[in-house]
Amino acid sequence: PALKLLRTGEAKIKKEKQNREELLKQLVIYGQKLAGLGFVIGGSGNISVRYGRAMLIKASGILLEEADKHGFVEVGIFASKKKGTLLPSSEYQLHREIYKARPDIHAVVHAHPVFATALACTNNKSLTYLGSELHLVLGSELGQVPYFSPGSGELARHAAAQMQCCNGVLLQNHGAVSVGKTLKEAFFRMRVIEHTIKVYLFANLFAKGNMKKLHLLSKKQIQQVVETEMGAYRQRFVQG
């Protein structure tokens, strides 16, 4: 019995190690994807995944485009425990509070895409009803969080509160955050946020700033698309 318990314990440790390595591999891949799209610049932006009662998050001072698996640090979600000598991203509180508020999600992406950040510097709220793609991928409306200092507890708490009903938010005068059951889903949601906002801004340009010339969809029209088989397929695809 003792030998069996020992082997079971060793197998569990091996599985956890493999799982951790796979998560780190995903963080490296999607970190490079974000950087390649220009969604982060310099040391800005950060991504993380849930790892048991902790999270693996980009370390402070590490560029996502250069980060390897050693560029991420393990930080407790419910306790201020940290492994290793690297400091976590200055936005670690933002990730931690979102994980605490949303036990159903396992990945957080925080980036500064140009168009999303530009829109976040305005008070415009018409974006949500420009098309159905955003709702299909987000599975919610795009939330908006008032301005608070980056890295602050206030920002973390208000963003987490908004994430109770949204899977993506704009941080006023700052950037955007998306979440998902997988890192792929959180990443794809960020891409769709930026794409939708780019379309919206060009539509505004063609309308010469006249909101009456923009054709916005109704909530009913959007919901009709979401409830189709195409809508269900799109959501399954994004989750991977």
Side-chain angles (χ1 to χ4, degrees):
L3 182 59
K4 184 178 180 180
L5 284 173
L6 179 62
R7 287 176 176 173
T8 300
E10 289 175 343
K12 183 178 180 181
I13 291 172
K14 182 179 180 180
K15 185 176 181 180
E16 287 180 353
K17 185 176 180 181
Q18 290 174 337
N19 182 42
R20 193 176 194 276
E21 287 296 312
E22 179 57 33
L23 291 175
L24 288 170
K25 180 181 177 181
Q26 291 296 309
L27 285 166
V28 171
I29 290 172
Y30 284 101
Q32 291 175 348
K33 285 178 179 288
L34 282 170
L37 289 169
F39 284 10
V40 295
I41 187 82
S44 69
N46 34 76
I47 59 176
S48 70
V49 291
R50 190 190 292 271
Y51 180 58
R53 293 179 62 81
M55 61 180 173
L56 299 173
I57 185 171
K58 184 183 79 73
S60 179
I62 300 292
L63 304 184
L64 275 176
E65 63 224 57
E66 298 177 353
D68 59 14
K69 68 177 185 179
H70 302 294
F72 296 87
V73 59
E74 182 177 332
V75 181
I77 293 175
F78 302 97
S80 300
K81 293 183 178 180
K82 179 181 74 70
K83 286 189 177 182
T85 58
L86 294 177
L87 293 176
S89 164
S90 60
E91 296 281 14
Y92 78 93
Q93 292 187 88
L94 175 67
H95 294 247
R96 173 185 283 170
E97 291 302 318
I98 291 174
Y99 284 125
K100 287 163 68 174
R102 292 286 303 274
D104 60 311
I105 65 102
H106 293 269
V108 176
V109 171
H110 169 43
H112 303 157
V114 172
F115 291 95
T117 304
L119 189 67
C121 294
T122 74
N123 294 314
N124 204 312
K125 300 181 186 298
S126 302
L127 166 73
T128 305
Y129 305 108
L130 191 62
S132 60
E133 183 74 9
L134 189 67
H135 283 75
L136 282 173
V137 176
L138 274 188
S140 72
E141 293 190 2
L142 181 63
Q144 299 190 23
V145 179
Y147 179 79
F148 294 96
S149 296
S152 67
E154 291 88 351
L155 175 61
R157 289 189 291 273
H158 280 81
Q162 187 66 42
M163 280 294 188
Q164 293 276 16
C165 59
C166 300
N167 292 317
V169 298
L170 295 182
L171 307 179
Q172 192 172 51
N173 295 85
H174 185 162
V177 181
S178 59
V179 300
K181 290 182 171 61
T182 65
L183 195 51
K184 176 184 177 180
E185 183 175 45
F187 167 77
F188 199 75
R189 281 173 169 167
M190 183 62 72
R191 288 196 67 177
V192 170
I193 289 172
E194 176 71 348
H195 173 76
T196 303
I197 292 174
K198 184 184 288 188
V199 170
Y200 172 76
L201 292 176
F202 274 103
N204 255 302
L205 181 64
F206 290 127
K208 298 181 179 179
N210 187 345
M211 292 297 294
K212 292 182 179 180
K213 291 185 177 180
L214 287 181
H215 183 263
L216 302 179
L217 301 181
S218 67
K219 288 186 178 181
K220 182 179 180 180
Q221 287 174 316
I222 290 175
Q223 193 58 35
Q224 286 175 338
V225 177
V226 171
E227 292 175 355
T228 62
E229 178 57 33
M230 179 189 74
Y233 170 78
R234 183 66 57 85
Q235 291 170 20
R236 290 194 301 270
F237 171 78
V238 171
Q239 289 178 8

